[in-house]
Amino acid sequence: VPRKQASKGSLSELVRAPGVPVPLIGSALAPIVLDLFFFVVPLHATHVGLSASTIGTILGFSSGCSMATRVVLPRIALRVRDWTLVAASFAGTGFFLALVPLAAGTPMLLVLAMGAGFSTGVSAPMVLTVLYNSLPQGRQGELLGVRAMLLSAGQMAAPSVVGAVSGVVGLAPVVALLGAAVMGYGWMARSEGHRIAAANPGRALRR
């Protein structure tokens, strides 16, 4: 994505500028979804009777997969467009999250946790890359500050809201809805990538 020149517009205009809202939302959403995954998995695992040590092992594998993804991600990013990686990783994260309530034991939950680890290991750095490259020179700090504010608010509110609603309607429908919402963002990112590709024919959507 070609870097824009600095603009003297207001912060609200910058937030609404073409190419900014979608990656801004995604850059805050990615860590929040990861937090929710680490919040939901122990709840469900306890419900199906898994021990604390087993739950810790599952979460450890998820974190390990996320770290492993960061090692190979630079090579993948050289071959796959940024928006394609963002869309696919969010869609994958939402898919794995939505299936958590269906996991009846350790094997399936472990597979879902590892899959979510791989996908979140891609989504967080790639959507930040897209966001940074969409901002005008000299104004990156302003939008990153907005992103930090959105992230802090989401990380504070999301687990409380999920916990409160789950206490009323149950965990499964809430997690399914969350997974669908994250997959929906993946579709939004795919559409945004196509829009940018159409507006910049012949340009690779990379750094």
Side-chain angles (χ1 to χ4, degrees):
V1 178
R3 188 67 61 83
K4 304 171 187 177
Q5 295 300 315
S7 170
K8 295 182 180 180
S10 66
L11 180 60
S12 62
E13 291 174 343
L14 184 59
V15 170
R16 297 194 303 268
V20 172
V22 175
L24 177 61
I25 293 170
S27 67
L29 181 62
I32 293 172
V33 171
L34 181 60
D35 288 348
L36 287 176
F37 187 84
F38 276 80
F39 174 74
V40 166
V41 167
L43 289 179
H44 177 71
T46 301
H47 177 70
V48 298
L50 300 186
S51 66
S53 60
T54 301
I55 296 172
T57 300
I58 291 171
L59 297 180
F61 269 96
S62 181
S63 298
C65 290
S66 181
M67 291 178 60
T69 303
R70 306 294 175 90
V71 175
V72 300
L73 183 58
R75 293 189 178 184
I76 297 174
L78 291 175
R79 295 169 173 80
V80 184
R81 292 181 175 183
D82 289 352
W83 274 114
T84 301
L85 287 172
V86 171
S89 60
F90 272 96
T93 300
F95 176 76
F96 293 124
L97 178 62
L99 291 181
V100 167
L102 301 179
T106 302
M108 184 175 179
L109 200 53
L110 182 60
V111 169
L112 294 177
M114 293 175 67
F118 281 122
S119 57
T120 55
V122 173
S123 61
M126 290 311 305
V127 76
L128 272 176
T129 297
V130 171
L131 174 64
Y132 187 84
N133 289 335
S134 70
L135 301 177
Q137 290 182 356
R139 304 202 66 180
Q140 294 91 343
E142 294 176 69
L143 259 293
L144 292 178
V146 173
R147 183 250 179 190
M149 180 183 66
L150 293 174
L151 176 57
S152 297
Q155 288 179 318
M156 177 182 67
S160 300
V161 173
V162 170
V165 177
S166 297
V168 177
V169 301
L171 183 63
V174 175
V175 174
L177 183 61
L178 287 172
V182 177
M183 286 189 282
Y185 178 82
W187 182 264
M188 185 191 303
R190 178 177 179 271
S191 300
E192 181 73 357
H194 288 168
R195 184 192 68 78
I196 294 175
N200 299 276
R203 287 184 180 273
L205 302 183
R206 298 185 186 139
R207 290 163 293 281

